[in-house]
Structure formats: structure tokens, C-alpha cells
Coordinates of all heavy atoms in Angstrom, one line a residue:
M1263 N 109.4 63.9 128.3 CA 108.4 63.1 127.5 C 107.0 63.5 128.2 O 106.9 63.5 129.3 CB 108.6 61.7 127.7 CG 107.5 60.8 127.1 SD 108.1 59.1 127.1 CE 107.3 58.4 128.6
K1264 N 106.0 63.7 127.3 CA 104.7 64.1 127.8 C 103.9 62.8 128.0 O 104.0 61.9 127.1 CB 104.0 65.0 126.8 CG 104.6 66.4 126.7 CD 103.6 67.3 126.0 CE 104.2 68.8 126.2 NZ 103.2 69.8 125.6
T1265 N 103.1 62.9 129.1 CA 102.2 61.7 129.3 C 100.9 62.0 128.6 O 100.5 63.2 128.5 CB 102.0 61.5 130.7 OG1 101.5 62.6 131.3 CG2 103.4 61.2 131.4
K1266 N 100.2 61.0 128.3 CA 98.8 61.1 127.7 C 97.9 60.6 128.7 O 98.1 59.5 129.4 CB 98.8 60.3 126.4 CG 99.6 60.9 125.3 CD 99.2 60.2 124.0 CE 100.2 60.8 122.9 NZ 99.7 60.4 121.5
G1267 N 96.9 61.3 128.9 CA 95.7 60.9 129.9 C 94.5 60.7 129.2 O 94.4 60.4 128.0
I1268 N 93.4 60.8 129.9 CA 92.1 60.6 129.5 C 91.6 61.9 128.9 O 91.8 63.0 129.5 CB 91.2 60.1 130.6 CG1 91.7 58.8 131.2 CG2 89.8 60.0 130.3 CD1 91.1 58.5 132.6
V1269 N 91.0 61.8 127.8 CA 90.4 63.0 127.1 C 88.9 63.2 127.5 O 88.1 62.3 127.5 CB 90.5 62.9 125.6 CG1 90.0 64.1 124.9 CG2 92.0 62.7 125.2
R1270 N 88.7 64.5 128.0 CA 87.3 64.8 128.3 C 87.0 66.0 127.6 O 87.8 66.9 127.4 CB 87.1 65.0 129.8 CG 87.4 63.8 130.6 CD 86.2 62.9 130.6 NE 86.3 61.8 131.6 CZ 85.8 60.7 131.6 NH1 85.1 60.4 130.6 NH2 85.9 59.9 132.6
R1271 N 85.6 66.3 127.4 CA 85.2 67.6 126.7 C 84.7 68.5 127.9 O 84.2 68.1 128.8 CB 83.9 67.3 125.8 CG 84.3 66.6 124.4 CD 83.1 66.5 123.6 NE 83.4 65.6 122.6 CZ 83.8 66.1 121.3 NH1 83.9 67.3 121.1 NH2 84.0 65.2 120.3
L1272 N 84.8 69.8 127.6 CA 84.2 70.8 128.5 C 82.7 70.8 128.2 O 82.4 70.9 127.0 CB 84.9 72.1 128.3 CG 86.4 72.3 128.7 CD1 86.8 73.7 128.3 CD2 86.4 72.1 130.2
D1273 N 81.9 71.0 129.2 CA 80.5 71.2 128.8 C 80.2 72.8 128.6 O 81.2 73.6 128.6 CB 79.6 70.7 129.9 CG 79.6 71.5 131.2 OD1 80.2 72.5 131.3 OD2 78.9 71.0 132.3
D1274 N 79.0 73.2 128.4 CA 78.6 74.6 128.1 C 79.1 75.5 129.1 O 79.3 76.7 128.9 CB 77.1 74.7 127.9 CG 76.7 73.9 126.6 OD1 77.6 73.6 125.7 OD2 75.5 73.7 126.5
L1275 N 79.2 75.1 130.4 CA 79.6 75.9 131.6 C 81.1 75.8 131.8 O 81.6 76.4 132.8 CB 78.8 75.6 132.8 CG 77.3 75.9 132.6 CD1 76.6 75.4 134.0 CD2 77.0 77.3 132.4
G1276 N 81.9 75.1 131.0 CA 83.3 74.9 131.2 C 83.7 73.9 132.2 O 84.9 73.9 132.6
R1277 N 82.8 73.0 132.5 CA 83.0 71.9 133.5 C 83.5 70.7 132.8 O 83.2 70.3 131.7 CB 81.8 71.6 134.3 CG 81.2 72.7 135.1 CD 80.0 72.4 135.8 NE 78.9 72.1 134.7 CZ 77.7 72.1 134.9 NH1 77.2 72.4 136.2 NH2 76.8 71.9 134.0
I1278 N 84.4 69.9 133.6 CA 84.8 68.5 133.2 C 84.4 67.6 134.3 O 84.3 68.0 135.5 CB 86.3 68.5 132.9 CG1 87.1 68.9 134.1 CG2 86.6 69.3 131.7 CD1 88.7 68.7 133.9
V1279 N 84.3 66.4 133.9 CA 84.2 65.3 135.0 C 85.5 64.6 135.1 O 86.1 64.1 134.2 CB 83.1 64.3 134.5 CG1 82.9 63.1 135.6 CG2 81.7 65.1 134.4
L1280 N 86.0 64.5 136.4 CA 87.2 63.7 136.6 C 86.8 62.2 136.8 O 85.9 62.0 137.5 CB 87.8 64.2 138.0 CG 88.3 65.6 138.0 CD1 88.9 65.9 139.4 CD2 89.5 65.8 137.0
P1281 N 87.6 61.3 136.0 CA 87.2 60.0 136.1 C 87.3 59.4 137.5 O 88.1 59.9 138.4 CB 88.3 59.4 135.2 CG 88.8 60.4 134.5 CD 88.7 61.7 135.2
I1282 N 86.4 58.4 137.9 CA 86.3 57.9 139.2 C 87.7 57.3 139.7 O 88.1 57.4 140.9 CB 85.3 56.9 139.3 CG1 85.0 56.4 140.7 CG2 85.5 55.6 138.5 CD1 84.4 57.4 141.6
E1283 N 88.5 56.8 138.7 CA 89.8 56.2 139.1 C 90.6 57.3 139.7 O 91.4 57.1 140.6 CB 90.5 55.5 137.9 CG 89.7 54.3 137.3 CD 88.6 54.8 136.4 OE1 88.5 55.9 135.9 OE2 87.7 53.8 136.0
M1284 N 90.7 58.4 139.0 CA 91.6 59.5 139.5 C 91.0 60.1 140.8 O 91.8 60.4 141.7 CB 91.6 60.7 138.4 CG 92.4 60.4 137.2 SD 92.5 61.8 136.2 CE 93.9 61.3 135.1
R1285 N 89.7 60.2 141.0 CA 89.2 60.8 142.2 C 89.5 59.9 143.3 O 89.9 60.3 144.4 CB 87.6 60.8 142.1 CG 87.3 62.0 141.1 CD 85.7 62.3 141.2 NE 84.8 61.3 141.3 CZ 84.1 60.8 140.2 NH1 84.2 61.4 139.1 NH2 83.3 59.9 140.4
R1286 N 89.5 58.5 143.0 CA 89.8 57.6 144.2 C 91.3 57.6 144.4 O 91.7 57.6 145.6 CB 89.5 56.1 143.7 CG 88.1 55.8 143.8 CD 87.6 54.4 143.4 NE 86.2 54.2 143.4 CZ 85.5 53.4 142.6 NH1 86.2 52.6 141.8 NH2 84.3 53.2 142.8
S1287 N 92.1 57.7 143.4 CA 93.6 57.6 143.7 C 94.1 59.0 144.4 O 95.1 58.9 145.0 CB 94.3 57.4 142.4 OG 94.3 58.5 141.5
F1288 N 93.4 60.0 144.2 CA 93.7 61.3 144.9 C 92.9 61.6 146.1 O 92.9 62.6 146.7 CB 93.7 62.5 143.9 CG 94.8 62.5 142.9 CD1 94.6 61.9 141.7 CD2 96.0 62.9 143.2 CE1 95.7 61.8 140.7 CE2 97.1 62.9 142.3 CZ 96.9 62.3 141.1
D1289 N 92.0 60.6 146.5 CA 91.2 60.7 147.7 C 90.3 62.0 147.6 O 90.2 62.7 148.5 CB 92.1 60.7 148.9 CG 91.2 60.5 150.3 OD1 90.1 59.8 150.1 OD2 91.6 61.1 151.3
L1290 N 89.6 62.2 146.5 CA 88.7 63.2 146.3 C 87.3 62.7 146.4 O 87.0 61.7 145.8 CB 88.9 63.8 144.9 CG 90.1 64.7 144.6 CD1 90.3 64.9 143.2 CD2 90.1 65.9 145.4
A1291 N 86.6 63.3 147.2 CA 85.1 63.0 147.4 C 84.2 64.1 147.0 O 84.7 65.2 146.7 CB 84.9 62.6 148.9
E1292 N 82.9 63.8 146.9 CA 82.0 64.8 146.5 C 82.1 65.9 147.4 O 82.1 65.7 148.6 CB 80.6 64.1 146.5 CG 79.5 65.0 145.9 CD 78.1 64.2 145.9 OE1 78.2 63.0 145.8 OE2 77.1 64.9 145.9
H1293 N 82.0 67.1 146.9 CA 82.1 68.4 147.6 C 83.5 68.8 148.1 O 83.6 69.8 148.9 CB 81.1 68.4 148.8 CG 79.7 68.2 148.3 ND1 79.0 69.1 147.5 CD2 78.8 67.2 148.6 CE1 77.8 68.6 147.2 NE2 77.7 67.4 147.9
D1294 N 84.5 68.0 147.9 CA 85.9 68.3 148.3 C 86.2 69.6 147.4 O 85.8 69.7 146.3 CB 86.9 67.3 147.9 CG 86.9 66.2 149.1 OD1 86.3 66.4 150.1 OD2 87.6 65.1 148.8
R1295 N 87.1 70.4 148.0 CA 87.5 71.5 147.2 C 88.8 71.2 146.4 O 89.7 70.4 146.9 CB 87.9 72.7 148.2 CG 86.6 73.3 148.8 CD 87.0 74.3 149.8 NE 85.8 74.9 150.3 CZ 85.7 76.0 151.0 NH1 86.8 76.8 151.1 NH2 84.6 76.5 151.5
V1296 N 88.9 71.8 145.2 CA 90.1 71.5 144.4 C 90.7 72.9 144.1 O 90.0 73.8 143.6 CB 89.6 70.8 143.1 CG1 90.9 70.6 142.2 CG2 89.0 69.5 143.4
E1297 N 92.0 73.0 144.1 CA 92.7 74.2 143.8 C 93.1 74.1 142.4 O 93.6 73.1 142.0 CB 94.0 74.3 144.7 CG 94.7 75.6 144.5 CD 95.9 75.7 145.5 OE1 96.0 74.9 146.6 OE2 96.9 76.4 145.2
I1298 N 92.9 75.2 141.7 CA 93.2 75.2 140.2 C 94.2 76.3 140.0 O 94.1 77.5 140.4 CB 92.0 75.5 139.4 CG1 90.8 74.5 139.6 CG2 92.3 75.6 137.8 CD1 89.4 75.0 139.1
S1299 N 95.3 75.9 139.3 CA 96.4 76.9 139.1 C 97.0 76.7 137.6 O 96.7 75.6 137.0 CB 97.5 76.8 140.1 OG 98.1 75.6 140.1
A1300 N 97.8 77.5 137.1 CA 98.4 77.3 135.8 C 100.0 77.5 136.0 O 100.4 78.4 136.7 CB 97.8 78.2 134.8
Q1301 N 100.7 76.8 135.1 CA 102.1 76.9 135.0 C 102.5 76.8 133.6 O 102.2 75.7 133.0 CB 102.9 75.9 135.9 CG 104.3 76.1 136.0 CD 105.0 75.1 137.0 OE1 104.3 74.2 137.4 NE2 106.2 75.4 137.2
D1302 N 103.0 77.8 133.0 CA 103.2 77.8 131.6 C 102.0 77.4 130.9 O 101.0 78.2 130.9 CB 104.5 76.9 131.2 CG 105.8 77.3 132.0 OD1 106.0 78.6 132.1 OD2 106.4 76.4 132.5
D1303 N 102.0 76.4 130.1 CA 100.8 75.9 129.3 C 100.1 74.7 129.9 O 99.4 74.0 129.3 CB 101.2 75.6 127.8 CG 102.1 74.4 127.8 OD1 102.8 74.0 128.7 OD2 102.3 73.9 126.6
T1304 N 100.3 74.6 131.3 CA 99.7 73.4 132.0 C 98.7 73.9 133.0 O 99.0 74.9 133.7 CB 100.8 72.6 132.6 OG1 101.7 72.2 131.7 CG2 100.3 71.4 133.3
I1305 N 97.5 73.3 133.0 CA 96.5 73.5 134.1 C 96.8 72.5 135.2 O 96.8 71.2 134.9 CB 95.1 73.5 133.5 CG1 94.9 74.5 132.5 CG2 94.1 73.6 134.6 CD1 93.6 74.4 131.7
I1306 N 96.9 72.9 136.4 CA 97.1 72.0 137.5 C 95.9 71.9 138.5 O 95.4 73.1 138.9 CB 98.4 72.5 138.3 CG1 99.6 72.5 137.4 CG2 98.6 71.6 139.5 CD1 100.7 73.4 137.9
L1307 N 95.5 70.7 138.7 CA 94.3 70.5 139.7 C 95.0 69.8 140.9 O 95.8 68.9 140.8 CB 93.4 69.6 139.2 CG 92.6 70.2 137.9 CD1 91.5 69.0 137.4 CD2 91.9 71.4 138.2
K1308 N 94.6 70.3 142.1 CA 95.3 69.8 143.3 C 94.2 69.8 144.5 O 93.4 70.7 144.6 CB 96.5 70.7 143.7 CG 97.3 70.3 144.9 CD 98.4 71.3 145.0 CE 98.8 71.5 146.5 NZ 99.9 72.4 146.6
K1309 N 94.1 68.8 145.2 CA 93.2 68.8 146.3 C 93.5 69.9 147.2 O 94.8 70.1 147.6 CB 93.2 67.5 147.1 CG 92.2 67.4 148.1 CD 92.2 65.9 148.7 CE 91.2 65.9 149.8 NZ 90.9 64.5 150.3
Y1310 N 92.5 70.7 147.6 CA 92.8 71.9 148.4 C 93.1 71.5 149.9 O 92.3 70.7 150.5 CB 91.6 72.8 148.4 CG 91.7 74.0 149.4 CD1 92.7 75.0 149.1 CD2 90.9 74.2 150.4 CE1 92.8 76.1 150.0 CE2 91.0 75.2 151.3 CZ 91.9 76.2 151.0 OH 92.1 77.2 152.0
E1311 N 94.2 71.9 150.3 CA 94.5 71.6 151.8 C 94.7 72.9 152.5 O 95.6 73.7 152.2 CB 95.8 70.8 151.8 CG 95.8 69.5 151.2 CD 95.0 68.5 151.9 OE1 94.7 68.7 153.2 OE2 94.7 67.5 151.3
P1312 N 93.7 73.4 153.4 CA 93.9 74.6 154.0 C 95.1 74.8 155.0 O 95.6 73.7 155.5 CB 92.5 74.7 154.8 CG 92.1 73.4 155.0 CD 92.6 72.6 153.9
N1313 N 95.6 76.0 155.1 CA 96.8 76.2 156.0 C 96.5 77.4 156.9 O 95.7 78.3 156.6 CB 98.1 76.5 155.1 CG 98.4 75.3 154.3 OD1 98.4 74.2 154.7 ND2 98.8 75.6 153.0
C1314 N 97.3 77.4 158.0 CA 97.2 78.5 158.9 C 97.6 79.8 158.3 O 98.7 79.8 157.6 CB 98.0 78.1 160.1 SG 98.2 79.6 161.4
I1315 N 96.9 80.9 158.5 CA 97.2 82.2 157.7 C 98.5 82.7 158.4 O 99.1 83.6 157.8 CB 96.1 83.2 157.8 CG1 95.6 83.5 159.2 CG2 94.9 82.6 157.0 CD1 94.7 84.7 159.3
F1316 N 98.9 82.4 159.6 CA 100.1 82.9 160.2 C 101.4 82.1 160.0 O 102.4 82.7 159.6 CB 99.8 83.1 161.7 CG 98.7 84.1 162.0 CD1 97.5 83.6 162.6 CD2 98.8 85.4 161.8 CE1 96.5 84.6 162.9 CE2 97.9 86.4 162.1 CZ 96.7 85.9 162.6
C1317 N 101.3 80.8 160.3 CA 102.5 80.0 160.2 C 102.5 79.0 159.0 O 103.6 78.4 158.6 CB 102.7 79.2 161.5 SG 101.6 77.9 161.6
G1318 N 101.4 78.9 158.2 CA 101.4 78.0 157.1 C 101.2 76.4 157.5 O 101.1 75.7 156.6
G1319 N 101.0 76.2 158.8 CA 100.8 74.8 159.2 C 99.5 74.3 158.8 O 98.6 75.1 158.4
S1320 N 99.4 72.9 158.8 CA 98.1 72.3 158.3 C 97.5 71.4 159.4 O 96.5 70.7 159.1 CB 98.3 71.6 157.0 OG 99.3 70.5 157.3
K1321 N 98.1 71.4 160.6 CA 97.5 70.6 161.7 C 96.7 71.3 162.7 O 97.0 72.5 162.9 CB 98.7 69.9 162.4 CG 99.4 68.8 161.6 CD 100.4 68.1 162.4 CE 101.1 67.0 161.6 NZ 102.0 66.3 162.5
D1322 N 95.6 70.8 163.2 CA 94.8 71.3 164.2 C 94.3 72.8 163.9 O 94.4 73.7 164.7 CB 95.6 71.4 165.5 CG 96.0 70.0 166.0 OD1 95.3 69.0 165.9 OD2 97.2 70.0 166.6
L1323 N 93.7 72.8 162.7 CA 93.2 74.1 162.3 C 91.8 74.4 162.9 O 91.0 73.6 163.0 CB 93.1 74.2 160.7 CG 94.4 74.1 160.0 CD1 94.2 74.0 158.5 CD2 95.4 75.2 160.3
K1324 N 91.6 75.7 163.2 CA 90.3 76.2 163.5 C 89.9 77.3 162.6 O 90.8 78.0 162.1 CB 90.3 76.8 165.0 CG 90.9 75.9 166.0 CD 90.0 74.8 166.3 CE 90.6 73.9 167.4 NZ 89.9 72.7 167.5
E1325 N 88.7 77.5 162.3 CA 88.3 78.6 161.4 C 87.8 79.7 162.2 O 87.0 79.6 163.2 CB 87.0 78.1 160.5 CG 86.7 79.1 159.4 CD 85.7 78.6 158.4 OE1 85.9 77.4 158.0 OE2 84.9 79.4 157.9
Y1326 N 88.2 80.9 161.9 CA 87.8 82.2 162.6 C 87.6 83.2 161.4 O 88.5 83.6 160.7 CB 88.9 82.6 163.5 CG 88.6 83.9 164.2 CD1 87.6 83.9 165.2 CD2 89.2 85.1 164.0 CE1 87.3 85.0 166.0 CE2 88.8 86.3 164.6 CZ 87.9 86.2 165.6 OH 87.5 87.4 166.3
H1327 N 86.4 83.7 161.3 CA 85.9 84.7 160.3 C 86.4 84.3 158.9 O 86.9 85.0 158.2 CB 86.6 86.0 160.7 CG 85.9 86.7 161.8 ND1 84.6 87.2 161.8 CD2 86.4 86.8 163.1 CE1 84.3 87.7 163.1 NE2 85.4 87.5 163.8
G1328 N 86.2 83.0 158.6 CA 86.6 82.4 157.3 C 88.1 82.2 157.1 O 88.4 81.8 156.0
K1329 N 88.9 82.3 158.1 CA 90.3 82.1 157.9 C 90.7 81.0 158.8 O 90.1 80.7 159.8 CB 91.1 83.4 158.4 CG 90.8 84.6 157.7 CD 91.1 84.6 156.2 CE 90.8 85.9 155.6 NZ 91.0 85.9 154.2
Q1330 N 91.7 80.1 158.4 CA 92.2 79.0 159.2 C 93.4 79.5 160.0 O 94.3 80.1 159.6 CB 92.6 78.0 158.2 CG 91.5 77.4 157.3 CD 90.5 76.7 158.0 OE1 90.7 76.0 159.0 NE2 89.2 77.0 157.5
I1331 N 93.4 79.1 161.3 CA 94.4 79.4 162.3 C 94.6 78.1 163.0 O 93.7 77.4 163.5 CB 94.0 80.5 163.2 CG1 93.5 81.7 162.4 CG2 95.1 80.8 164.2 CD1 92.9 82.9 163.3
C1332 N 95.9 77.8 163.3 CA 96.3 76.5 163.9 C 96.2 76.8 165.4 O 96.3 77.9 166.0 CB 97.6 76.0 163.5 SG 99.0 76.9 164.1
T1333 N 96.2 75.7 166.2 CA 96.0 75.8 167.7 C 97.2 76.5 168.3 O 97.0 77.4 169.2 CB 95.8 74.5 168.3 OG1 94.7 73.8 167.6 CG2 95.6 74.5 169.7
K1334 N 98.4 76.3 167.7 CA 99.6 76.9 168.3 C 99.5 78.4 168.1 O 99.9 79.3 169.1 CB 100.9 76.4 167.6 CG 101.2 75.0 168.1 CD 102.5 74.6 167.4 CE 102.9 73.1 167.8 NZ 104.1 72.8 167.2
C1335 N 99.1 78.9 167.0 CA 99.0 80.3 166.8 C 97.9 81.0 167.6 O 98.1 82.1 168.1 CB 98.7 80.6 165.3 SG 100.3 80.3 164.3
V1336 N 96.8 80.2 167.8 CA 95.7 80.8 168.7 C 96.2 80.9 170.1 O 96.0 82.0 170.7 CB 94.5 79.8 168.7 CG1 93.5 80.1 169.7 CG2 93.8 79.7 167.4
Q1337 N 97.0 80.0 170.5 CA 97.6 80.1 171.9 C 98.6 81.3 172.0 O 98.6 82.0 173.0 CB 98.3 78.8 172.3 CG 97.3 77.6 172.5 CD 98.0 76.2 172.7 OE1 99.2 76.1 172.4 NE2 97.1 75.3 173.0
S1338 N 99.4 81.4 170.9 CA 100.3 82.5 170.9 C 99.6 83.9 170.9 O 100.0 84.8 171.6 CB 101.3 82.5 169.7 OG 102.1 81.3 169.7
I1339 N 98.6 84.0 170.1 CA 97.8 85.2 170.1 C 97.2 85.6 171.5 O 97.1 86.7 172.0 CB 96.7 85.2 169.1 CG1 97.4 85.2 167.7 CG2 95.7 86.4 169.2 CD1 96.4 84.9 166.5
G1340 N 96.7 84.4 172.1 CA 96.1 84.5 173.5 C 97.0 85.1 174.5 O 96.6 85.6 175.5
K1341 N 98.3 84.9 174.3 CA 99.3 85.4 175.3 C 99.7 86.9 175.1 O 100.4 87.4 175.9 CB 100.7 84.6 175.2 CG 100.4 83.1 175.5 CD 101.7 82.3 175.3 CE 101.4 80.8 175.7 NZ 102.6 80.0 175.4
L1342 N 99.3 87.4 174.1 CA 99.5 88.9 173.8 C 98.8 89.8 174.8 O 97.8 89.6 175.2 CB 99.2 89.3 172.4 CG 100.0 88.6 171.3 CD1 99.4 89.1 169.9 CD2 101.4 89.0 171.4

């Protein structure tokens, strides 16, 4: 069964406004990043959660040259 949601129009630049209720329920704030993907005929919006480029973890991340690395991997690299 398909669910029906709120209908919004795209503006001239292809933008849509997410309703405040949805932003609140998904803990989206102004300037948060949103990941956009597609599956079959569905567009998927998901709050972007960065991950470590080595292990895929999402805790204790540090940024290095624009890439996210977790503390454990930084320590492992330091031992080399």
C-alpha cells in the first residue's frame, strides 16, 4: 500500500520546502546536510550522517583534509 504525504511544488531551481513537522520529527535544523538517493521510482531524503572512511564508524569523528576519520583509526594509523 502506498502512503500519501504532503504535496509540494518544485520552484524554478528545483527546490522544495520540507514541512516544519517533518523537519522536527527527523531532527533536521537549518544548514543540516541531507543525503539524496533514488531507488526504483522513489526519491529518498535522509539526514546525512558522516562515517569514518576506514571502518565506517560514526563515533568520535575528526576531519582530516575533508575526510572523516574516527579516533580509533587515527590511533591505529599512528602506530604504523
Side-chain angles (χ1 to χ4, degrees):
M1263 179 169 92
K1264 289 192 175 192
T1265 61
K1266 293 187 178 192
I1268 299 167
V1269 177
R1270 297 282 193 204
R1271 289 185 192 262
L1272 291 174
D1273 72 6
D1274 294 341
L1275 296 175
R1277 298 176 295 198
I1278 58 169
V1279 174
L1280 296 176
I1282 189 71
E1283 298 84 9
M1284 286 187 163
R1285 295 194 310 261
R1286 285 180 181 151
S1287 67
F1288 288 97
D1289 192 29
L1290 288 168
E1292 189 175 332
H1293 303 293
D1294 279 353
R1295 293 179 179 195
V1296 178
E1297 184 177 337
I1298 304 168
S1299 59
Q1301 184 175 9
D1302 301 321
D1303 64 346
T1304 304
I1305 298 170
I1306 302 166
L1307 299 176
K1308 181 175 149 183
K1309 185 172 182 176
Y1310 175 68
E1311 300 288 343
N1313 295 318
C1314 175
I1315 60 169
F1316 295 110
C1317 71
S1320 61
K1321 291 186 177 182
D1322 302 320
L1323 297 176
K1324 307 288 183 198
E1325 187 170 325
Y1326 182 73
H1327 291 283
K1329 305 292 182 185
Q1330 301 294 323
I1331 305 172
C1332 72
T1333 304
K1334 287 183 181 180
C1335 288
V1336 169
Q1337 292 171 350
S1338 294
I1339 292 168
K1341 294 177 183 177
L1342 293 177

